[in-house]
Amino acid sequence: MRNLRNVHRSLLETPKGLTLTASAFDVESNSIVCAFGPTQEDVLIQLKRWRNVAKSPDEGLVGRDEHSLEHIASWDALCPIPDLECDQVLDIHCFGDTSTVCLVFAGGDIVVVREFPENGEEKIEIVGSVDVGISAAAWSPEEGLLAIATRARTFLFMTRNFENIADVAFSADDLKASKHVDVGWGKKETQFKGKRARALRDPTIPETVDEGAVHQLDRKNTTISWRGDGAYVAVHSLEPASRRVIRVYSREGILDSVSEPVDGLIGALSWRPAGNLISSIQRLKGRIDVVFFERNGLRHGQFTLRITEAEINDFDADISLKWNVDSSVLAVCFKDRVQLWTMGNYHYYLKQEIYGPVLGLEDQPLSFTWHSEKPLKFVLSSAGGIQELEYNSVVATGSISSPLDYGIVAVIDGKILKLTPLRLANIPPPMAFHEISLNEIALDVSVTVTRPKDPVASVAILQHGRVSFYEWPLVAKPSTPPFLKWSTKITSGEENRTFMPQQVVFDAEISLTVLASTADRSEILTLDILSGIIVDTSIFPELRLDGLIGQGATANGGVSRLLKGNAIISKGGLDVDLILPFPANSSHRIEVASIQTQDPNSDNGDRRGNGFIFFGLFDTGLLSANGIVLARNCTSFLVTPEHLIFTTGQHLLKFVHMAAVEDLDVPPDTPELDERCRSIERGAKLVTVMPSLFALVMQMPRGNLETIYPRALVLAGIRQSINEKKYKKAFLACRSHRVDMNILHDHDPSKFIANIGSFVDQAEKVEYIDLFLSQLKEEDVSKTMYKETLHASASNKNLVSLEIEDDRGRSKVNKICDTFLKVLHVHTPTRYQNIITAHVCKLPPDLDAGLTEVARIQKQSQEEAEKTVEHICFLADVNKLYDNALGLYDLDLTLLIAQQSQKDPREYLPFLQSLQEMPQLRRQFSIDNHLGRYGKALTNLYQINALEEFKGYMLKHSLYTEALELYRYRPDELSDIMRLYADYLRDNSKPKEAGIAYEYLQNYVSASECYRIAHHWRESLACAMLAPLPESQLLTLAQTLASTLVESKDFFSAAIIYLDYLSDIPTSSRLFCKGYFFADALRIISLHKRNDLLESIIDTGLVDGMSATIELLADCKSQLLAQVPRIRELRVKKTEDPLAFLNGDVIGGGVDSIPDNVSLAPTDATTAGNSLFTRYTNRSSGTLATNATRQTSKNRRREERKRARGKKGSVYEEEYLVNSVVRLVERVNSVGDEVSRLISGLMRGRMRERARAVENAMVELIDLCRVSVEEIFPKNTTEEEKEAADLRPKGGDGVLWDSIEGSDMKKKDVPIVKGFEKLSLL
């Protein structure tokens, strides 16, 4: 689908007195080395360098072009071969790294010319000579070998230093090297013709066999061509009295194969650099074919050259072939012209036909040379002149802005122009929707579409000296072909034999612009689009323009700028608007498109294009916008009013939202995360885009087309439709492209809610509304799967955030459904199906409301009711609908639902009949009981006033709370129910609630017992006193409660019971001292004047408490001193040798000691044992193999027991020790108050030294705890945590990482060591 468009032309006529005989590119200096002579009249040969200089822009003006010939060297080239009239240059090659030129002459001399000879070197040196003469020569692509075919039928291989490494002689025995077996793949003879056909012969044997007959016009020349990788070389020569043969040799000079016999084969030869085809020419009766061979010598297809019979006879045998460096273009060189052919979908297209530099002056054939690095750059020379040309591979498309985006693609194929509107008919190439037959070969084509209401495509075709204009109605039925409106001849302003049209571009809707050039200037011709008259001619003396830049995606946009080298200049003058980011003399190919910004008059003053954004793609893959580099691996791009679309060398398709140049945001290479990036087939390139259809057409490397609908285009179109309130268009796009329809609401919730009525009116079809409602979900898809990639303004963000805050806590689905219900009830009350859907699609489904709606419809129309029942049964589970309908107590509706289900009528009919015969309340009770709605059933029993049945039903289903609520105003029944509820609570192990219930009923004895069981001693003793209980029982109860409290170490409460209820002052004081409540003990003793107890109880209690505390603090200190160093030791060991720490098989030495034959990587197929990082985690790094046994619960429990024990030396030891330290700190924090009370008591008891000892021990332990916690739980900074998170591997390796780093321990909450307030008296 791509055409070749000329983007550069430089022409130099040969100086008087000189004859150009050969030329070659010097890649290093970006110049052309020309050889002038020798001729029959003059044996002098001159080497000159043609520098095609384009000056850089200076002070905003475009520099003039200069043509210069620099003299390199000259010498006399005498011909040593008598039968040659003069010597001939067979091959000229430039070595840029050494600044040397190598020439191979037919007379046998190999000459090296050094531009900058070093000491001891000659400027011109004959480095070798073949006495018998040379018939052909060629350097290998990497410039390492020189292949030479001699006139003595030998083949030589020479190195860069001209050392002979192989000398092979051509012989007749070479023809036996290959045994050609052709099975006829793809030929007509081998096609299946039906089972009734009787094959009378072997289909693999052709009807005629070529013998290799030599054509009478054969020049008997020899040609050489290397394969692109330099591994093989082919030589095409004439076998005496036999046939033409293509021999294939390896670099070592070993014969690999020979070609099969082909009649009429002539000496042209070119090996496609890709390596799959060897090309040659076959002359047949009435036609000339380009034939292809495989490396093994077998034929592999052909195509016929499109030339007339007169030209066939005139061209004689002067035809040569040359493939370009990337194998995309085949040049067929005739005597006076060159044809450029490309291949796509196995069809060969004639893309260009270029005539010689100066017509009508020379009879010698043209010389053609491709550039060795730039695929579409070449030199075309003859004896009278030389021209350098460069082409771009471009797609000729129409407008790509809606609504004129018909996807029209024009493909040049010689004298045929193929037109296909991909929006109307996606016809694969080489076929086309319409074909225009031309009188001459097309050079360039431009397409535009006008008149949106009645679209018409305008096609301008540029030919040699002529412009033709066609119009094509696009929507005519039946489709009509394009018709010629006018054709105008174009010439230079003066008679000039070097005039060459280059490009044609539509300039808005009123004119055409043609770019042409001559030897010394460029011309821009403007033609009226209606009449075809040339209305203006702009001449740029001594200046070569490289292209016309249109307004790209702007509908019907005109020519906005001109391209000259790396400068974008204004159309009317030579003012520079923008400098592109590559050197002016680098001769990079560039493809430029532009789009006008919203403010066409904007001028930011920094040469940005005055309201335009210029996108340029260089042949290096660099994509720029107004000089700012966007990507460095781009392969193709398109510009629409909304997006910049381009493909990359990583086989990704990317979308960039159109914005100011500095705001262009190129998405990263994350197709799985960003809608603006998606993966495509390798080598795919963009053809055109149709935003109206959200379609993007790409061409694969083979040539076939693929139409895709990228998410970025689809979502951009949907969002635009929502913004324009075109909800039906957005809905249909979601439906066609499987986009979650929640985006219709989530993109702009407030607008959608406010325009639901418009949505209903636009949708029209009931099915559309049902489909939308059924797709609703709570997820906000605009923030998850369809996150907006176009950055919104700050005000819009604030507005959206306020709306979100207002709707927080409210169900999105229910809000939408409720709004739909309001609209449907008001505007379209007869849309029963949509109303039912809105009820059922709520979360949770409002089945009762939907069934109520069905019941209302049933009263109006039985037929409509049956339809709605069928619909609601489709939306929801019919069994649930049956239960809900039954719960509405509507037996008719229930019967209607049951008839739509799979229930057996013998099951539900008797049940419904029995319900029909019951009274209303009894029926409701039976239904609620049947449905398990026991609370409602109990309410029905209450209304029936069946108290005994009520109590039985309450006891059966434990409905005490509901019963209490129903009888809250009837005290007698309430007391009975409360008594039953209290018994139920007591029997179900809820003594506290039972005690409260009994106390509510004033049953203090039962309440006291329940409180006792619940260990609520205050409530139990209070109820016992209110009962009242006998004194003996009361004392027994108090003794029991006190004993229980002592067992639970609640010494304070137990002391209160002994003091208040048992009047046992010694025991009470002793319990206060046991709980370190010395102040309370002293208060009681002094209150009751029992000073005799001070020494026996208080002092004894202080001594015992001091001993226990000192022992506890000592134990804690010794534990810390033992465990913290061990933790430190384990962590050092884990860091130095993690494998040994994990009980691996590697001992010591770390990584250096790992044997070479041991793999540490986990495998899914491992079944005998776990890997190192699954041994202690019981987790696999990936999916287990089918024959692997998963860990059972028994093994997991065993591993948990190991973890809890924390056995020394195991991987769990560190975790166990850390947890132990945490528990110790918590214990120290808990005894702080007790120690404070103990110290105060010791001071009051005149035991100051003992108080000092306890305080010092506590302070020392607190300090040790703080130091230990800081060491065990180091603080990580935010940067360290982020770095650790980045370094952590994924999957099973991450489990190993966590195990080694102990991240689980680091995630624990760091224990806080409480402070201890010292007593100032100490």
Side-chain angles (χ1 to χ4, degrees), residues 390 392 563 565-568 578-583 586-592 614-637:
E390 189 167 8
N392 259 0
L563 181 65
N566 66 342
I568 293 178
L578 181 68
I579 303 299
L580 297 172
F582 72 95
S586 65
S587 187
H588 283 284
R589 285 189 299 118
I590 177 174
E591 183 178 353
V592 180
F614 297 94
F615 297 95
L617 173 61
F618 310 103
D619 57 351
T620 58
L622 187 145
L623 177 66
S624 70
N626 282 11
I628 300 175
V629 177
L630 299 180
R632 299 186 180 275
N633 57 353
C634 179
T635 57
S636 62
F637 79 101

Side-chain angles (χ1 to χ4, degrees), residues 1142-1145 1170-1178 1199 1212:
L1142 294 175
N1143 286 344
D1145 297 330
N1170 294 333
S1171 64
L1172 289 176
F1173 52 85
T1174 60
R1175 179 175 301 171
Y1176 297 106
T1177 60
N1178 298 317
E1199 204 67 27
Y1212 301 119

